[in-house]
Every structure is written in structure tokens, then in C-alpha cells.
Amino acid sequence: MKIDVEHLSLRELNTLVTAAEQRRALVASRRPAAVVRRKLIAFAAQCGYTIEELIGTAPAETTAPARKRGTRRKLGKVAPKYRDPDNKRNTWSGRGRMPRWLAEKTRHGRSPADFLIPGLGRSDASKTRTIGQRTVFKQS
């Protein structure tokens, strides 16, 4: 929190100093949180409970620190692999969810391989390969 003291009047500065001194006295008079936490754990154990049973979460001392989530790498752009013959602007690279136009046409009995752009690749529809092997091959 930043306070611009350059523009405060004498009265406002005195009020700010008084409030800061009161807050400092309050914080200084409190017991450290670790001491209070240990006393609470000991009191709960004396009564036959654990902190988890009473509060529902583990105390901060015993829990492992939360790991930061790594930023996810953006995938590069991929050339379209499928094209709608009725509307040339409808294309799909083969990544992600199947677009509505292709899903609707495959629902009516056509295969996604019917919409492949010629010369870019062929679909491997068998799905018998193991994970990590290529499913699309370039045609020579």
C-alpha cells in the first residue's frame, strides 16, 4: 500500500501517524502465529481431537507448500488438413474437437477422410497403433 504523503495536510498526517502507531502496538502485542498454532494443536490433542477433525484442513506447518503451475506452452499453427467442399472457408487442422460442419457431415454417413485436402496427407482410421506413433503420413 502506497500513500502519497506529499499531498496530505498536517491534520491528515497526524491522523495517519496515530493510526500507524495504534496498529504497530496491536501487532507487537500479539503472540506469534506459530506459538498459537502449537497451543491449539496441543489443546485439541488433549481433548482427543485433531485439528483436521475440528477445522477441516491441515495446519499450515504440516502441509507441503503448494506447487506453482507451470505455464503451458502454446502450440504452433498448423496447416489445415480437412476442407468443406461446400464452403472453402471451413477448414480443420485435425487438432482439437471436430468442428460442427464436419461432425454433421460424418453423422450422415460420410468419412472424415472424404474431406482431406489433396496432397497434404492421408488419415489413418484404423486406430490400432499404440500411443506415440504417427497417425498421419505425408504422401510423396
Side-chain angles (χ1 to χ4, degrees):
M1 178 174 89
K2 291 187 177 182
I3 299 174
D4 187 15
V5 294
E6 298 295 323
H7 301 293
L8 295 179
S9 66
L10 180 61
R11 184 176 182 189
E12 291 170 332
L13 283 172
N14 287 334
T15 305
L16 182 63
V17 168
T18 305
E21 287 174 352
Q22 288 175 353
R23 176 70 182 154
R24 185 173 146 239
L26 175 71
V27 171
S29 67
R30 293 192 315 187
R31 291 183 181 164
V35 173
V36 174
R37 187 177 299 117
R38 279 195 298 270
K39 286 187 177 187
L40 284 174
I41 291 171
F43 182 70
Q46 179 184 358
C47 294
Y49 293 101
T50 63
I51 291 295
E52 292 82 11
E53 289 176 322
L54 297 176
I55 299 175
T57 59
E61 273 182 3
T62 60
T63 59
R67 291 176 45 194
K68 286 187 178 180
R69 279 185 103 164
T71 57
R72 199 170 170 160
R73 184 175 57 106
K74 279 198 160 192
L75 297 175
K77 292 240 179 195
V78 179
K81 186 171 138 185
Y82 299 92
R83 178 170 282 131
D84 185 4
D86 299 334
N87 183 356
K88 300 290 183 188
R89 295 183 67 191
N90 288 341
T91 59
W92 182 44
S93 66
R95 285 188 178 176
R97 190 172 178 178
M98 187 182 288
R100 289 182 186 155
W101 64 267
L102 187 57
E104 183 178 329
K105 292 188 182 203
T106 56
R107 227 179 284 130
H108 296 298
R110 296 186 69 181
S111 168
D114 298 339
F115 300 99
L116 278 170
I117 298 174
L120 289 182
R122 64 179 175 85
S123 176
D124 185 21
S126 65
K127 299 289 182 189
T128 58
R129 297 180 186 269
T130 60
I131 295 175
Q133 290 186 344
R134 297 174 108 184
T135 56
V136 177
F137 299 93
K138 290 184 180 178
Q139 291 179 345
S140 321

